[in-house]
Structures are given as structure tokens and as C-alpha cells.
């Protein structure tokens, strides 16, 4: 695999913006993301600069990217730290310090060759390196079997928890948690 996996850099905000817009045009975007292409497109440059800077150096979030041989960003995943005593982005109380994996996207030409696995390995390693972190979790839309299958293969297991999808409350986002090694 000729892809570099690393944390995003502050100055890469134009490439981060372009990758996010590509993700939001993907056929699975309506069930994979809580933001629309139109919403992202309306954001000013300052928004993208701040978002990228915070994900490059922040302690509450870290964005990992896959960089292709030509220097183009071809994939991304973000680990968000959720602190006990706060609410998650669904408005539910967080009872333990944990990481939430979000914003998963790999361009079609880089799928199936290990890029997604490498991105997840980087995000999970960073998350597990945080002091006091008790678990790594994510949510997957009930109508996104491809993503759910990858998550299971990587070691995530359903918790039985679910929340109404913010974009379509008649559908659910299913909670999955990463099993500990040896489980």
C-alpha cells in the first residue's frame, strides 16, 4: 500500500474541505453523515481552517488522513473525545470517557486495499493512548450494511443501543463498541 497514514496538518484545510465535499457527494452520504453537501459548501474558509487546525492539534479531536502517492488526500477518519458528564452529539449523557469515531470516508479508488483499516488503526491507537479513556465507539445507520460489515470485521460489536437518526427519526443509528484485544 503506497499511502501515508497520519494526522492532518493545519495548512491542509483546502484539501480537507475538498475531501469532505467529495464524501458528501458519495451515494451513501445521506446515511453516513449528519451534514449535507449544501451545508458544507456554504461554510466560509475560516470554518475549514479552524476545523482542520482543531483536528490537527486538538486534544478533544484528531483527524487522520490517507495521502495517496500523488499527495492527494484519499481518506479520512476522526476520533472525538467524549468526556463523562457531558452530552454526546445526539444529546445523550456521556457516562465514561470515550472516543467516538466519526467522519469515515475513503475515495472509491482507494477502497478494498487496506486504507480504511490503516486509518482506523491510527485513530484507535491515538484514542487508546489517551489517559483515562475507557472505550472506543461509533454509530452506524441501520441502512449502511457495507460500513457495519467493515466495523464488525475491524472488531466493533453492537451494544444493542440505538438512537433516532437526526436526519430521519424513523431510522436508527446503531451503537457499536470496539472489543478489547483477546475478547
Amino acid at each position: 500500500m503506497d499511502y501515508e497514514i497520519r494526522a492532518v496538518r493545519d495548512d491542509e484545510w483546502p484539501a480537507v474541505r475538498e475531501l469532505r465535499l467529495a464524501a458528501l457527494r458519495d451515494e451513501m452520504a445521506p446515511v453516513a453523515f449528519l451534514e449535507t453537501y449544501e451545508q458544507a459548501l456554504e461554510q466560509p474558509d475560516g470554518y475549514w481552517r479552524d476545523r482542520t487546525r482543531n483536528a490537527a492539534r486538538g486534544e478533544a479531536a484528531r483527524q487522520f488522513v490517507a495521502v495517496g502517492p500523488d499527495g492527494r488526500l484519499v481518506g479520512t477518519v476522526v476520533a472525538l473525545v467524549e468526556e463523562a458528564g457531558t452530552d454526546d452529539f445526539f444529546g445523550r449523557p456521556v457516562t465514561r470517557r470515550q472516543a467516538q469515531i466519526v467522519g469515515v470516508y475513503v475515495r472509491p479508488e482507494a477502497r478494498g486495499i487496506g486504507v480504511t483499516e490503516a486509518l482506523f488503526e491510527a485513530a484507535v491507537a491515538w484514542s487508546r493512548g489517551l489517559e483515562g479513556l475507557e472505550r472506543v465507539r461509533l454509530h452506524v445507520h441501520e441502512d449502511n450494511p457495507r460500513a457495519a460489515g467493515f466495523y464488525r470485521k475491524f472488531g466493533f460489536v453492537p451494544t444493542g443501543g440505538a438512537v433516532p437518526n437526526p436526519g430521519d427519526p424513523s431510522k436508527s443509528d446503531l451503537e457499536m463498541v470496539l472489543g478489547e484485544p483477546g475478547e
Side-chain angles (χ1 to χ4, degrees):
M1 182 178 76
D2 286 340
Y3 294 88
E4 178 187 9
I5 307 298
R6 59 170 171 75
V8 71
R9 296 179 183 141
D10 289 8
D11 63 347
E12 292 180 304
W13 69 267
V16 167
R17 179 183 185 273
E18 188 278 326
L19 184 62
R20 180 66 173 183
L21 291 173
L24 294 170
R25 286 190 298 263
D26 189 86
E27 67 180 336
M28 293 306 292
V31 298
F33 303 108
L34 301 178
E35 174 183 44
T36 67
Y37 175 81
E38 292 75 21
Q39 290 168 330
L41 194 59
E42 290 176 6
Q43 296 297 337
D45 289 351
Y47 167 86
W48 295 103
R49 281 188 193 98
D50 290 345
R51 178 180 171 142
T52 304
R53 181 178 50 250
N54 292 338
R57 294 184 273 156
E59 294 180 19
R62 188 64 50 100
Q63 181 176 9
F64 294 90
V65 293
V67 184
D70 61 358
R72 183 176 182 219
L73 300 187
V74 298
T76 185
V77 64
V78 178
L80 300 176
V81 178
E82 298 176 318
E83 299 292 348
T86 64
D87 289 340
D88 67 12
F89 58 82
F90 293 108
R92 297 175 312 162
V94 175
T95 60
R96 63 184 81 180
R97 189 166 203 246
Q98 59 194 8
Q100 172 88 256
I101 303 296
V102 299
V104 179
Y105 179 71
V106 174
R107 295 182 194 271
E109 66 271 17
R111 294 178 187 162
I113 58 172
V115 172
T116 310
E117 290 86 348
L119 284 166
F120 264 72
E121 287 167 4
V124 167
W126 178 80
S127 298
R128 287 193 165 155
L130 298 171
E131 186 176 330
L133 194 95
E134 294 184 36
R135 70 178 188 164
V136 178
R137 72 176 185 156
L138 54 77
H139 286 82
V140 62
H141 193 285
E142 66 181 273
D143 293 335
N144 197 347
R146 183 182 78 205
F150 170 80
Y151 302 148
R152 279 191 300 277
K153 182 179 173 190
F154 192 84
F156 284 86
V157 294
T159 65
V163 294
N165 179 272
D168 180 0
S170 71
K171 297 288 187 169
S172 294
D173 285 351
L174 311 174
E175 183 184 56
M176 299 179 83
V177 64
L178 186 60
E180 294 297 321
E183 286 188 1

